[in-house]
PDB file of all heavy atoms in Angstrom:
ATOM      1  N   LYS A 204     114.835 -72.754 217.678  1.00 85.00           N
ATOM      2  CA  LYS A 204     115.213 -71.845 216.590  1.00 85.00           C
ATOM      3  C   LYS A 204     114.300 -71.997 215.379  1.00 85.00           C
ATOM      4  O   LYS A 204     113.870 -71.027 214.773  1.00 85.00           O
ATOM      5  CB  LYS A 204     116.643 -72.150 216.136  1.00 85.00           C
ATOM      6  CG  LYS A 204     117.720 -71.561 216.994  1.00 85.00           C
ATOM      7  CD  LYS A 204     119.070 -71.900 216.365  1.00 85.00           C
ATOM      8  CE  LYS A 204     120.178 -71.742 217.397  1.00 85.00           C
ATOM      9  NZ  LYS A 204     121.440 -72.306 216.905  1.00 85.00           N
ATOM     10  N   TYR A 205     114.065 -73.265 215.043  1.00 88.00           N
ATOM     11  CA  TYR A 205     113.333 -73.506 213.797  1.00 88.00           C
ATOM     12  C   TYR A 205     111.941 -72.889 213.845  1.00 88.00           C
ATOM     13  O   TYR A 205     111.449 -72.360 212.857  1.00 88.00           O
ATOM     14  CB  TYR A 205     113.223 -75.011 213.522  1.00 88.00           C
ATOM     15  CG  TYR A 205     112.630 -75.295 212.176  1.00 88.00           C
ATOM     16  CD1 TYR A 205     113.375 -75.040 211.026  1.00 88.00           C
ATOM     17  CD2 TYR A 205     111.338 -75.760 212.045  1.00 88.00           C
ATOM     18  CE1 TYR A 205     112.833 -75.263 209.788  1.00 88.00           C
ATOM     19  CE2 TYR A 205     110.786 -75.986 210.806  1.00 88.00           C
ATOM     20  CZ  TYR A 205     111.531 -75.740 209.665  1.00 88.00           C
ATOM     21  OH  TYR A 205     110.998 -75.951 208.444  1.00 88.00           O
ATOM     22  N   ARG A 206     111.335 -72.925 215.046  1.00 89.00           N
ATOM     23  CA  ARG A 206     109.982 -72.365 215.153  1.00 89.00           C
ATOM     24  C   ARG A 206     110.015 -70.857 214.967  1.00 89.00           C
ATOM     25  O   ARG A 206     109.131 -70.280 214.333  1.00 89.00           O
ATOM     26  CB  ARG A 206     109.386 -72.730 216.496  1.00 89.00           C
ATOM     27  CG  ARG A 206     109.200 -74.230 216.567  1.00 89.00           C
ATOM     28  CD  ARG A 206     108.511 -74.673 217.804  1.00 89.00           C
ATOM     29  NE  ARG A 206     108.289 -76.112 217.671  1.00 89.00           N
ATOM     30  CZ  ARG A 206     107.728 -76.868 218.578  1.00 89.00           C
ATOM     31  NH1 ARG A 206     107.318 -76.336 219.697  1.00 89.00           N
ATOM     32  NH2 ARG A 206     107.566 -78.147 218.363  1.00 89.00           N
ATOM     33  N   LEU A 207     111.052 -70.240 215.548  1.00 89.00           N
ATOM     34  CA  LEU A 207     111.171 -68.792 215.371  1.00 89.00           C
ATOM     35  C   LEU A 207     111.314 -68.458 213.893  1.00 89.00           C
ATOM     36  O   LEU A 207     110.706 -67.510 213.386  1.00 89.00           O
ATOM     37  CB  LEU A 207     112.372 -68.266 216.154  1.00 89.00           C
ATOM     38  CG  LEU A 207     112.177 -68.248 217.681  1.00 89.00           C
ATOM     39  CD1 LEU A 207     113.468 -67.852 218.371  1.00 89.00           C
ATOM     40  CD2 LEU A 207     111.063 -67.281 218.052  1.00 89.00           C
ATOM     41  N   ILE A 208     112.140 -69.267 213.201  1.00 88.00           N
ATOM     42  CA  ILE A 208     112.350 -69.002 211.772  1.00 88.00           C
ATOM     43  C   ILE A 208     111.046 -69.172 210.997  1.00 88.00           C
ATOM     44  O   ILE A 208     110.714 -68.373 210.113  1.00 88.00           O
ATOM     45  CB  ILE A 208     113.457 -69.927 211.218  1.00 88.00           C
ATOM     46  CG1 ILE A 208     114.803 -69.456 211.779  1.00 88.00           C
ATOM     47  CG2 ILE A 208     113.479 -69.918 209.703  1.00 88.00           C
ATOM     48  CD1 ILE A 208     115.934 -70.389 211.515  1.00 88.00           C
ATOM     49  N   ALA A 209     110.283 -70.205 211.367  1.00 90.00           N
ATOM     50  CA  ALA A 209     108.998 -70.428 210.687  1.00 90.00           C
ATOM     51  C   ALA A 209     108.084 -69.227 210.880  1.00 90.00           C
ATOM     52  O   ALA A 209     107.421 -68.774 209.939  1.00 90.00           O
ATOM     53  CB  ALA A 209     108.338 -71.696 211.212  1.00 90.00           C
ATOM     54  N   VAL A 210     108.072 -68.697 212.116  1.00 92.00           N
ATOM     55  CA  VAL A 210     107.227 -67.533 212.380  1.00 92.00           C
ATOM     56  C   VAL A 210     107.660 -66.362 211.508  1.00 92.00           C
ATOM     57  O   VAL A 210     106.835 -65.695 210.875  1.00 92.00           O
ATOM     58  CB  VAL A 210     107.287 -67.140 213.877  1.00 92.00           C
ATOM     59  CG1 VAL A 210     106.563 -65.825 214.102  1.00 92.00           C
ATOM     60  CG2 VAL A 210     106.682 -68.227 214.728  1.00 92.00           C
ATOM     61  N   ILE A 211     108.978 -66.140 211.454  1.00 92.00           N
ATOM     62  CA  ILE A 211     109.479 -64.997 210.673  1.00 92.00           C
ATOM     63  C   ILE A 211     109.139 -65.168 209.190  1.00 92.00           C
ATOM     64  O   ILE A 211     108.651 -64.250 208.532  1.00 92.00           O
ATOM     65  CB  ILE A 211     111.007 -64.849 210.869  1.00 92.00           C
ATOM     66  CG1 ILE A 211     111.269 -64.409 212.313  1.00 92.00           C
ATOM     67  CG2 ILE A 211     111.584 -63.841 209.892  1.00 92.00           C
ATOM     68  CD1 ILE A 211     112.713 -64.530 212.733  1.00 92.00           C
ATOM     69  N   LEU A 212     109.377 -66.386 208.676  1.00 90.00           N
ATOM     70  CA  LEU A 212     109.092 -66.620 207.256  1.00 90.00           C
ATOM     71  C   LEU A 212     107.600 -66.448 206.960  1.00 90.00           C
ATOM     72  O   LEU A 212     107.210 -65.823 205.967  1.00 90.00           O
ATOM     73  CB  LEU A 212     109.554 -68.031 206.866  1.00 90.00           C
ATOM     74  CG  LEU A 212     109.605 -68.273 205.360  1.00 90.00           C
ATOM     75  CD1 LEU A 212     110.762 -67.510 204.739  1.00 90.00           C
ATOM     76  CD2 LEU A 212     109.727 -69.748 205.045  1.00 90.00           C
ATOM     77  N   GLY A 213     106.774 -66.988 207.852  1.00 91.00           N
ATOM     78  CA  GLY A 213     105.321 -66.856 207.667  1.00 91.00           C
ATOM     79  C   GLY A 213     104.906 -65.391 207.644  1.00 91.00           C
ATOM     80  O   GLY A 213     104.141 -64.961 206.785  1.00 91.00           O
ATOM     81  N   LEU A 214     105.450 -64.624 208.603  1.00 94.00           N
ATOM     82  CA  LEU A 214     105.109 -63.202 208.647  1.00 94.00           C
ATOM     83  C   LEU A 214     105.582 -62.494 207.382  1.00 94.00           C
ATOM     84  O   LEU A 214     104.881 -61.638 206.838  1.00 94.00           O
ATOM     85  CB  LEU A 214     105.745 -62.541 209.881  1.00 94.00           C
ATOM     86  CG  LEU A 214     105.003 -62.750 211.198  1.00 94.00           C
ATOM     87  CD1 LEU A 214     105.811 -62.169 212.347  1.00 94.00           C
ATOM     88  CD2 LEU A 214     103.627 -62.092 211.141  1.00 94.00           C
ATOM     89  N   ALA A 215     106.780 -62.876 206.914  1.00 94.00           N
ATOM     90  CA  ALA A 215     107.315 -62.234 205.713  1.00 94.00           C
ATOM     91  C   ALA A 215     106.418 -62.512 204.512  1.00 94.00           C
ATOM     92  O   ALA A 215     106.089 -61.596 203.742  1.00 94.00           O
ATOM     93  CB  ALA A 215     108.735 -62.728 205.451  1.00 94.00           C
ATOM     94  N   VAL A 216     106.001 -63.775 204.358  1.00 91.00           N
ATOM     95  CA  VAL A 216     105.136 -64.105 203.216  1.00 91.00           C
ATOM     96  C   VAL A 216     103.797 -63.388 203.339  1.00 91.00           C
ATOM     97  O   VAL A 216     103.277 -62.836 202.361  1.00 91.00           O
ATOM     98  CB  VAL A 216     104.930 -65.628 203.101  1.00 91.00           C
ATOM     99  CG1 VAL A 216     103.854 -65.955 202.076  1.00 91.00           C
ATOM    100  CG2 VAL A 216     106.232 -66.298 202.723  1.00 91.00           C
TER     101      VAL A 216
END
Side-chain angles (χ1 to χ4, degrees):
Chain A
K204 279 183 199 169
Y205 187 71
R206 295 185 175 179
L207 288 174
I208 288 170
V210 172
I211 292 167
L212 193 72
L214 280 174
V216 170

